[in-house]
């Protein structure tokens, strides 16, 4: 039980924020994942090609990258809670409107706009959760727990897909799967009634209004923060690129080359979802225990090793069912700490802009990794191309993690935000104050005296 002792130490505000983030990310996952279940039906009903189906998925990922960065910028300007509500409303409305479409182009438009809200919601939720948690020793566990709700949204999509197609004619069932996507908009009511902006953000806004602090999203490209932005983007590119390369092509390889059929069963999906949830929790705990960088490196090595084990070892359907659990752990566990880590790399005034840019640039660049696998497979075996591309991604994670600073135990205290003309040697550029790993040391939620003086 000591593993979850941290939860009992949260105060009411922290718990309400955690519930809001958990529910928001779960419904985000549902609205995004439901499309993957409907692809075969849409291909059969509309005569849509596989290429067109893939284009819809890719356009949603690209727009989510843009939405994530935009939401981060807006969250720094207008507040975490307000922008969170905007993102939930965006993906809920356009998911529902997808159920009223009658052509490929209409669905492409609604799913692309849905992606804007989908990407934006992740950025805002992780920033809000990271800033709300008082104890730095629990930050990654809290943010990782919120991200674990992805598994619940994924599972809900699978269950409702089965229920609608069991109870309704096919021509209405797929539309109902999209229509029900409007219900997550009701979660806005909970957010409005129970969640407020973190004190860290409110202190930053007061300082900005008083002229004591200035922030602009372009500051993430200043000399002070450029290295962090580039390395943070590389870290996320490697994570997401390696993940996309393995999860996109591994099922194809095992079904077409190994002729395994377990991927088509609900049992494998359940094992994978449970493994995914476990991975988030394990990854979150490890990030707070052994550090962010060590956790990322450990999961990068594990993801690559297990992915190669799938392709290199003689595996049966029974073995595949068993291996779905550790696969879910390693490929999802690597993401558990990234939200907290990116939040800790930037000062308060540009935290949303920095985190939103790094993760979502990584998402955009990572979406090309499956294309590289397909291209390399024209001149080498599919299994080798998966290994080369995924290996390159996870190697990038390791290199970036080694070059970036460790932020375990850092409090999100206000540091003076540099202007675009600041030099990299300015002592005011620390993105977070290191208050040591002593949990008794309170987190500072107000600008420092030095900040006000400057």
């Amino acid at each position: 039980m000591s593993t979850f002792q941290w939860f009992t130490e949260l105060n009411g505000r922290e718990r309400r924020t955690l519930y809001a983030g958990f529910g928001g990310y779960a419904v985000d996952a549902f609205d995004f994942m439901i499309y993957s279940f409907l692809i075969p039906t849409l291909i059969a009903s509309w005569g849509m090609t596989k290429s067109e189906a893939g284009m819809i998925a890719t356009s949603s990922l690209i727009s989510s990258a843009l939405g994530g960065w935009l939401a981060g910028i807006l969250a720094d300007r207008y507040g975490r809670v307000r922008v969170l509500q905007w993102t939930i409303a965006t993906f809920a409305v356009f998911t529902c409107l997808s159920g009223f479409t009658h052509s490929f182009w209409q669905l492409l438009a609604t799913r692309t706009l849905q992606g804007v809200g989908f990407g934006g919601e992740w950025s805002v939720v992780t920033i809000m959760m990271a800033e709300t948690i008082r104890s730095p020793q629990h930050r990654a566990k809290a943010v990782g727990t919120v991200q674990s709700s992805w598994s619940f949204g994924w599972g809900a999509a699978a269950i409702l897909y089965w229920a609608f197609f069991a109870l309704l004619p096919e021509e209405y069932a797929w539309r109902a799967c999209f229509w029900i996507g409007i219900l997550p908009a009701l979660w806005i009511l909970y957010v409005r009634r129970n969640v407020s902006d973190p004190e860290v953000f409110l202190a930053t806004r007061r300082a900005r209004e008083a002229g004591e602090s200035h922030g602009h999203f372009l500051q993430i490209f200043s000399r002070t923060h450029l290295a962090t932005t580039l390395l943070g983007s590389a870290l996320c590119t490697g994570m997401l690129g390696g993940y996309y390369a393995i999860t996109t092509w591994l099922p194809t390889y095992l079904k077409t080359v190994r002729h395994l059929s377990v991927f088509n069963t609900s049992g494998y999906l359940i094992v994978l979802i449970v493994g995914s949830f476990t991975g988030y929790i394990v990854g979150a705990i490890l990030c707070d225990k052994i550090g962010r960088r060590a956790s990322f490196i450990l999961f990068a090595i594990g993801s690559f090793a297990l992915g190669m084990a799938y392709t290199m070892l003689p595996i049966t359907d029974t073995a595949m069912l068993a291996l779905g659990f550790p696969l879910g752990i390693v490929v999802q566990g690597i993401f558990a700490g990234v939200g907290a880590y990116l939040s800790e790399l930037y000062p308060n005034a540009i935290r949303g802009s920095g985190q939103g840019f790094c993760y979502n640039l990584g998402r955009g660049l990572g979406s090309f990794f499956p294309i590289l696998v397909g291209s390399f497979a024209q001149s080498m075996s599919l299994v080798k191309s998966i290994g080369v591309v995924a290996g390159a991604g996870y190697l990038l994670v390791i290199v970036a993690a080694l070059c970036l600073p460790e932020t375990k135990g850092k409090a999100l205290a206000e540091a003076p935000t540099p202007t675009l003309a600041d030099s990299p040697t300015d002592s005011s550029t620390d993105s977070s104050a290191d208050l040591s790993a002593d949990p008794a040391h309170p987190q500072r939620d107000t600008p420092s005296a030095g900040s006000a003086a400057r």
Side-chain angles (χ1 to χ4, degrees):
M1 295 298 293
S2 59
T3 300
F4 298 98
Q5 179 67 29
W6 66 272
F7 182 79
T8 65
E9 299 175 11
L10 301 182
N11 62 25
R13 178 176 184 172
E14 290 170 322
R15 291 191 184 188
R16 289 192 298 272
T17 304
L18 189 146
Y19 298 150
F22 192 96
Y25 198 51
V27 296
D28 193 5
F30 171 85
D31 281 358
F32 182 78
M33 291 300 296
I34 195 64
Y35 171 71
S36 65
F37 291 99
L38 301 177
I39 289 176
T41 301
L42 293 171
I43 289 176
S45 300
W46 287 357
M48 191 167 63
T49 66
K50 292 180 180 179
S51 176
E52 290 174 330
M55 187 184 301
I56 290 174
T58 300
S59 67
S60 182
L61 282 174
I62 293 174
S63 66
S64 70
L66 296 174
W69 188 25
L70 176 62
I73 294 172
L74 294 176
D76 281 341
R77 180 71 178 175
Y78 298 106
R80 307 337 191 188
V81 176
R82 180 182 296 181
V83 179
L84 174 61
Q85 295 173 59
W86 295 348
T87 61
I88 294 174
T90 299
F91 70 69
V93 167
F94 285 106
T95 297
C96 179
L97 290 177
S98 296
F100 294 98
T101 59
H102 293 86
S103 70
F104 160 74
W105 291 107
Q106 291 176 357
L107 186 59
L108 178 66
T110 58
R111 294 301 291 177
T112 299
L113 293 171
Q114 181 269 351
V116 174
F118 160 69
E121 199 268 352
W122 182 91
S123 294
V124 180
V125 160
T126 52
I127 296 167
M128 183 179 72
M129 195 70 244
E131 291 181 333
T132 299
I133 297 299
R134 295 164 299 154
S135 171
Q137 284 68 42
H138 298 328
R139 186 179 298 123
K141 288 190 285 290
V143 177
T145 297
V146 166
Q147 291 184 246
S148 73
S149 66
W150 179 274
S151 305
F152 287 83
W154 185 4
I159 292 170
L160 287 174
Y161 166 79
W162 173 84
F164 282 135
F165 276 81
L167 299 173
L168 298 174
E170 185 176 281
E171 60 267 27
Y172 294 109
W174 73 264
R175 294 185 183 276
C177 288
F178 282 134
W179 290 335
I180 201 171
I182 194 62
L183 292 182
L186 297 175
W187 197 247
I188 294 175
L189 301 178
Y190 176 86
V191 174
R192 290 177 65 89
R193 291 171 60 92
N194 296 281
V195 184
S196 57
D197 279 319
E199 286 299 324
V200 172
F201 169 77
L202 295 176
T204 303
R205 184 166 64 184
R206 288 193 294 268
R208 183 173 62 242
E209 291 172 349
E212 299 170 353
S213 175
H214 304 279
H216 190 281
F217 74 91
L218 289 178
Q219 286 174 2
I220 67 174
F221 304 113
S222 68
R223 286 176 292 174
T224 301
H225 298 294
L226 182 59
T228 296
T229 299
L230 293 177
L231 288 170
S233 299
L235 180 78
C236 295
T237 297
M239 284 183 181
L240 290 156
Y243 171 78
Y244 292 149
I246 289 178
T247 57
T248 300
W249 286 102
L250 184 60
T252 299
Y253 172 78
L254 292 172
K255 282 190 290 187
T256 60
V257 179
R258 294 291 186 87
H259 306 294
L260 301 181
S261 59
V262 70
F263 285 100
N264 299 322
T265 67
S266 58
Y268 182 79
L269 183 61
I270 292 172
V271 169
L272 196 60
I273 290 174
V274 173
S276 171
F277 172 77
T278 305
Y280 278 117
I281 300 301
V282 171
I285 293 172
L286 283 177
C287 273
D288 277 337
K289 191 172 184 64
I290 67 175
R292 281 52 164 151
R293 300 190 305 165
S295 178
F296 296 150
I297 292 171
L298 179 63
F299 278 104
I301 294 172
S303 297
F304 179 72
L306 192 56
M308 291 303 95
Y310 267 69
T311 56
M312 300 295 187
L313 299 178
I315 294 176
T316 64
D317 272 338
T318 302
M320 278 301 306
L321 190 61
L323 286 173
F325 184 73
L327 179 66
I329 291 177
V330 295
V331 299
Q332 299 289 3
I334 195 172
F335 297 107
V338 70
Y341 186 59
L342 293 176
S343 294
E344 294 161 344
L345 289 176
Y346 290 94
N348 295 350
I350 57 172
R351 179 169 297 122
S353 303
Q355 187 201 50
F357 179 83
C358 290
Y359 189 83
N360 290 288
L361 178 62
R363 177 183 281 161
L365 295 177
S367 66
F368 289 97
F369 277 50
I371 298 175
L372 291 176
V373 173
S375 298
F376 289 167
Q378 302 299 317
S379 57
M380 65 178 71
S381 67
L382 179 58
V383 62
K384 188 174 182 180
S385 62
I386 294 173
V388 168
V389 176
Y394 289 121
L395 179 61
L396 185 59
V397 170
I398 294 171
V399 172
L402 291 173
C403 293
L404 284 163
E406 178 57 61
T407 60
K408 175 189 172 186
K410 284 196 173 183
L412 299 185
E414 175 63 35
T417 304
T419 65
L420 292 175
D422 281 343
S423 68
T425 58
D426 188 345
S427 62
S428 71
T429 61
D430 292 337
S431 63
S432 298
D434 189 348
L435 300 183
S436 84
D438 182 5
H441 201 322
Q443 177 180 341
R444 293 178 294 158
D445 290 331
T446 56
S448 64
S451 173
R454 288 184 183 87

